[in-house]
Amino acid sequence: MRLALAGAGAVGASTLELAGEYGHEVVAIADSSSAAVSEEGLDPETVLDRKRETGSVGEADPEALFAADYDALVEATPTTLGDAEPGFSHVKRALEADRHVVLANKGPVAERYADVRDLEAGSDGEVLFEATVGGAIPALSTITDVGPGRVTAVRGVLNGTANFVLSRMAAEGLGYEHVLAEAQDLGVAEADPSFDVEGTDAALKCVILANVLYDREYTLADAEVAGIEGVPGSALELAAEDGRTVRLVGEVADGEVRVGPRLVPENGTLAVTGTRNIVQLDTEHAGRLNISGRGAGGHETASAVLADVGRLARR
Amino acid sequence: MRLALAGAGAVGASTLELAGEYGHEVVAIADSSSAAVSEEGLDPETVLDRKRETGSVGEADPEALFAADYDALVEATPTTLGDAEPGFSHVKRALEADRHVVLANKGPVAERYADVRDLEAGSDGEVLFEATVGGAIPALSTITDVGPGRVTAVRGVLNGTANFVLSRMAAEGLGYEHVLAEAQDLGVAEADPSFDVEGTDAALKCVILANVLYDREYTLADAEVAGIEGVPGSALELAAEDGRTVRLVGEVADGEVRVGPRLVPENGTLAVTGTRNIVQLDTEHAGRLNISGRGAGGHETASAVLADVGRLARR
């Protein structure tokens, strides 16, 4: 497939690097200020070197991305809340041009799902978004295979930063602020960690799951969300005495979306450690499926993006 | 899709029962002595009642199955070794008639993989076989998505009977013979349990994984196989003192297929309990993925069969 990449951060850059190995070519890439286009396929190294040295991917206007001759747009600009822009407009332009869309950006499918599906219905293009939930974990494709109507509940640990902080607090008996600072030093937590530790990121993933499972549209406003900032070290100690620990668990069941710190068995399936994620699906005919893996990272997320591209190519 | 079912055991019967819910219809089903065919779609209850009462699914000759107007053959006759018959001939007839094939029977893809792929290459039909490895666990579709060349190793606990026996031996401190008899009473182990406890079933699944991962053909003869009959209760006790336990682990890595009892951490990922299965994929760009779920059962396996049918329908 011929790919156009919107966004040249970790996911965009990794997709550019790996696409060739998966049998696809990147004919255009844009960041917020520039674009590079080549009908013969871009050379990843040239583009990424230029981005490192000059801060921009090419000499063209970002607008050139949409003029390229591509089969699928990969939308990997940062997730934004509310109107999900500029991601949503990118999706709209690609679908209106009858191109496929593969999302790494959660915004369009978390905040404007009905709009995206309406645009898709009027397009020859399709929208896939495996990378938006659980990184490398094949959560959405498994739901598609099982059939959304036959998935009775989804639970998951879907934010690596929050999980790293809770795992370290429990393992080392350290306080929240201390471990958070450590996570920031290690690059596991952002300078402003609120998106992760307040539960927003996990909630967006659960909202996307709800949109796939149910007939009505969900947005962040429909989720009941609590973060991990209020979890004291003493709570983890008390839990440990009882063979349990605390995880930031997201749950989609009975039409409700909830995210918050929950007690789980210390050696249980949901107690993944470090930055790992897990998705647990309860199904009508196949019992419970657990899928765990790396929930974030450029290569890991690009791998999910390219799995979606492969699915589109096989159809 | 219009389905023809070869085999009316637990998997065939469950597929017949569930197909309608997944939007497909069964136009023919055959057991070893009879067939039922209806161009308008068979009524599951009528067929299954008849089978229960008379031992045969219908009045037609089994041969009638292939004369039906179907899109995909579901091959769910028992797995046989060596020439993989009669499953292989069923696959051949369907592919030669340019129909798709979905396998629950491991034989054709474990013992005659190259022949199956050759037939597929000359057919408009495709062959899928998710149900042959790990029941409800989406192992093969995840490998397809990741790309077989990017999976560096697969490990798994792939036989529920052997796992039930080892879990019970460890949990209750009971001997092998005692627990096996108990498993037979519960219907978890067959009257002749050799296929499961000697590692043959797990090895066939690993051989199928190797066939998908590597370029050359594997059969059971290429696998190094040890079963669990020789595992003494004392080995489990010793392992437990060290925080470990024993599982029948299959491994496909570096071109080799090995199955045997292995020490694994007691609370580790591979130590699934009871009849659960787990598949662990090491990937080049996405780290390690673990998928666990029910590895056997009529509905569970039918669910994997119908996921394959859905994949074919979407193409």
Side-chain angles (χ1 to χ4, degrees), chain B residues 201-285:
Chain B
D201 173 70
L204 289 170
K205 291 165 184 169
C206 288
V207 164
I208 294 169
L209 288 164
N211 277 323
V212 171
L213 291 191
Y214 305 122
D215 280 332
R216 77 169 182 89
E217 184 190 39
Y218 287 72
T219 69
L220 195 55
D222 300 302
E224 194 185 306
V225 189
I228 62 161
E229 321 93 297
V231 177
S234 57
L236 287 156
E237 280 166 36
L238 270 170
E241 282 173 24
D242 197 30
R244 297 196 281 179
T245 190
V246 177
R247 286 293 179 269
L248 183 67
V249 175
E251 188 174 23
V252 183
D254 305 319
E256 306 281 325
V257 176
R258 285 183 218 88
V259 175
R262 307 276 184 259
L263 279 171
V264 300
E266 204 163 23
N267 298 311
T269 313
L270 287 175
V272 287
T273 53
T275 59
R276 290 183 76 79
N277 281 199
I278 182 163
V279 173
Q280 189 169 76
L281 306 177
D282 287 349
T283 73
E284 208 178 339
H285 303 302

Side-chain angles (χ1 to χ4, degrees), chain A residues 27-50:
Chain A
V27 295
I29 184 169
D31 56 21
S32 54
S33 64
S34 71
V37 178
S38 164
E39 296 298 320
E40 291 79 45
L42 291 164
D43 175 54
E45 222 173 309
T46 310
V47 173
L48 297 173
D49 281 351
R50 191 196 151 103

Side-chain angles (χ1 to χ4, degrees), chain A residues 184-259:
Chain A
Q184 285 169 321
D185 287 346
L186 289 169
V188 168
E190 311 263 347
D192 174 4
S194 50
F195 200 64
D196 295 313
V197 299
E198 290 174 4
T200 313
D201 173 69
L204 288 170
K205 292 166 183 168
C206 289
V207 164
I208 294 169
L209 288 165
N211 277 323
V212 171
L213 291 192
Y214 306 123
D215 280 334
R216 77 171 183 88
E217 184 189 42
Y218 288 72
T219 70
L220 195 54
D222 299 300
E224 193 185 308
V225 189
I228 63 161
E229 322 93 296
V231 177
S234 58
L236 286 156
E237 281 166 37
L238 270 171
E241 282 172 28
D242 196 29
R244 297 197 281 179
T245 190
V246 178
R247 287 293 178 268
L248 183 66
V249 175
E251 186 173 24
V252 183
D254 306 318
E256 305 281 326
V257 177
R258 286 182 218 89
V259 175

Side-chain angles (χ1 to χ4, degrees), chain A residues 21 145 150 290 292 311, chain B residues 21 145 150 285 290 292 311:
Chain A
E21 191 195 307
D145 285 345
R150 285 178 289 273
N290 299 301
S292 69
R311 260 172 227 123
Chain B
E21 191 195 308
D145 284 346
R150 285 178 290 273
H285 303 302
N290 299 302
S292 69
R311 263 173 224 121

Side-chain angles (χ1 to χ4, degrees), chain B:
Chain B
M1 288 233 163
R2 295 164 69 80
L3 306 179
L5 308 185
V11 177
S14 298
T15 305
L16 176 61
E17 263 181 78
L18 297 178
E21 191 195 308
Y22 285 70
H24 309 296
E25 55 184 350
V26 177
V27 295
I29 185 168
D31 55 21
S32 53
S33 64
S34 70
V37 179
S38 163
E39 296 299 319
E40 291 79 44
L42 291 164
D43 175 54
E45 222 173 310
T46 310
V47 173
L48 296 174
D49 282 351
R50 190 196 153 101
K51 170 92 178 161
R52 248 187 310 270
E53 285 157 22
T54 68
S56 65
V57 290
E59 289 182 355
D61 186 86
E63 196 56 24
L65 185 75
F66 293 96
D69 178 22
Y70 66 94
D71 301 312
L73 174 75
V74 174
E75 223 300 326
T77 63
T79 295
T80 54
L81 303 182
D83 64 3
E85 292 292 1
F88 180 79
S89 290
H90 295 163
V91 173
K92 187 167 187 275
R93 291 179 71 170
L95 288 173
E96 284 177 351
D98 289 323
R99 306 307 213 286
H100 297 302
V101 173
V102 174
L103 289 164
N105 175 356
K106 292 179 276 293
V109 277
E111 296 288 75
R112 301 184 70 177
Y113 190 74
D115 290 340
V116 170
R117 286 302 194 201
D118 281 350
L119 287 166
E120 188 189 34
S123 170
D124 287 344
E126 261 188 271
V127 182
L128 292 178
F129 42 99
E130 182 66 87
T132 62
V133 179
I137 296 174
L140 299 178
S141 60
T142 303
I143 291 174
T144 301
D145 284 346
V146 170
R150 285 178 290 273
V151 174
T152 53
V154 183
R155 266 170 303 277
V157 171
L158 291 166
N159 183 274
T161 305
N163 206 61
F164 176 89
V165 171
L166 292 171
S167 312
R168 287 282 295 167
M169 284 173 71
E172 309 295 331
L174 297 167
Y176 172 77
E177 297 297 341
H178 182 104
V179 173
L180 179 61
E182 183 193 73
Q184 286 170 320
D185 288 346
L186 289 169
V188 168
E190 311 263 348
D192 175 3
S194 51
F195 200 65
D196 295 314
V197 298
E198 289 175 4
T200 312
D201 173 70
L204 289 170
K205 291 165 184 169
C206 288
V207 164
I208 294 169
L209 288 164
N211 277 323
V212 171
L213 291 191
Y214 305 122
D215 280 332
R216 77 169 182 89
E217 184 190 39
Y218 287 72
T219 69
L220 195 55
D222 300 302
E224 194 185 306
V225 189
I228 62 161
E229 321 93 297
V231 177
S234 57
L236 287 156
E237 280 166 36
L238 270 170
E241 282 173 24
D242 197 30
R244 297 196 281 179
T245 190
V246 177
R247 286 293 179 269
L248 183 67
V249 175
E251 188 174 23
V252 183
D254 305 319
E256 306 281 325
V257 176
R258 285 183 218 88
V259 175
R262 307 276 184 259
L263 279 171
V264 300
E266 204 163 23
N267 298 311
T269 313
L270 287 175
V272 287
T273 53
T275 59
R276 290 183 76 79
N277 281 199
I278 182 163
V279 173
Q280 189 169 76
L281 306 177
D282 287 349
T283 73
E284 208 178 339
H285 303 302
R288 178 171 290 177
L289 285 167
N290 299 302
I291 318 180
S292 69
R294 295 194 191 159
H299 275 65
E300 290 81 353
T301 308
S303 159
V305 163
L306 290 163
D308 273 348
V309 173
R311 263 173 224 121
L312 291 169
R314 282 197 297 278
R315 282 184 195 170

Side-chain angles (χ1 to χ4, degrees), chain A residues 126-152:
Chain A
E126 261 188 89
V127 183
L128 292 177
F129 42 100
E130 182 66 86
T132 62
V133 178
I137 294 174
L140 300 178
S141 59
T142 302
I143 291 173
T144 301
D145 285 345
V146 171
R150 285 178 289 273
V151 174
T152 52

Side-chain angles (χ1 to χ4, degrees), chain A residues 7-287:
Chain A
V11 177
S14 298
T15 305
L16 176 60
E17 262 180 77
L18 297 179
E21 191 195 307
Y22 286 70
H24 310 295
E25 57 183 350
V26 177
V27 295
I29 184 169
D31 56 21
S32 54
S33 64
S34 71
V37 178
S38 164
E39 296 298 320
E40 291 79 45
L42 291 164
D43 175 54
E45 222 173 309
T46 310
V47 173
L48 297 173
D49 281 351
R50 191 196 151 103
K51 171 91 179 164
R52 248 186 312 270
E53 285 156 22
T54 68
S56 66
V57 290
E59 288 181 355
D61 187 87
E63 196 55 26
L65 184 74
F66 293 96
D69 178 22
Y70 66 94
D71 302 309
L73 174 75
V74 174
E75 223 300 326
T77 64
T79 296
T80 55
L81 302 182
D83 65 3
E85 292 294 0
F88 180 79
S89 290
H90 295 164
V91 173
K92 185 166 188 278
R93 291 179 70 170
L95 287 174
E96 284 177 350
D98 290 322
R99 304 310 211 288
H100 297 301
V101 173
V102 174
L103 289 164
N105 175 358
K106 293 179 275 293
V109 275
E111 295 289 74
R112 300 182 71 176
Y113 189 75
D115 289 341
V116 170
R117 286 303 194 199
D118 281 350
L119 287 166
E120 189 190 34
S123 170
D124 288 342
E126 261 188 89
V127 183
L128 292 177
F129 42 100
E130 182 66 86
T132 62
V133 178
I137 294 174
L140 300 178
S141 59
T142 302
I143 291 173
T144 301
D145 285 345
V146 171
R150 285 178 289 273
V151 174
T152 52
V154 184
R155 266 170 305 277
V157 171
L158 290 166
N159 184 274
T161 305
N163 206 60
F164 176 89
V165 171
L166 291 172
S167 311
R168 287 283 294 165
M169 285 173 70
E172 308 294 333
L174 298 166
Y176 172 78
E177 297 297 342
H178 182 104
V179 174
L180 180 61
E182 183 192 72
Q184 285 169 321
D185 287 346
L186 289 169
V188 168
E190 311 263 347
D192 174 4
S194 50
F195 200 64
D196 295 313
V197 299
E198 290 174 4
T200 313
D201 173 69
L204 288 170
K205 292 166 183 168
C206 289
V207 164
I208 294 169
L209 288 165
N211 277 323
V212 171
L213 291 192
Y214 306 123
D215 280 334
R216 77 171 183 88
E217 184 189 42
Y218 288 72
T219 70
L220 195 54
D222 299 300
E224 193 185 308
V225 189
I228 63 161
E229 322 93 296
V231 177
S234 58
L236 286 156
E237 281 166 37
L238 270 171
E241 282 172 28
D242 196 29
R244 297 197 281 179
T245 190
V246 178
R247 287 293 178 268
L248 183 66
V249 175
E251 186 173 24
V252 183
D254 306 318
E256 305 281 326
V257 177
R258 286 182 218 89
V259 175
R262 306 277 184 261
L263 279 172
V264 299
E266 204 164 21
N267 297 311
T269 313
L270 287 174
V272 287
T273 53
T275 59
R276 290 184 76 79
N277 280 199
I278 183 164
V279 174
Q280 187 168 79
L281 306 178
D282 287 348
T283 73
E284 208 179 336
H285 303 302

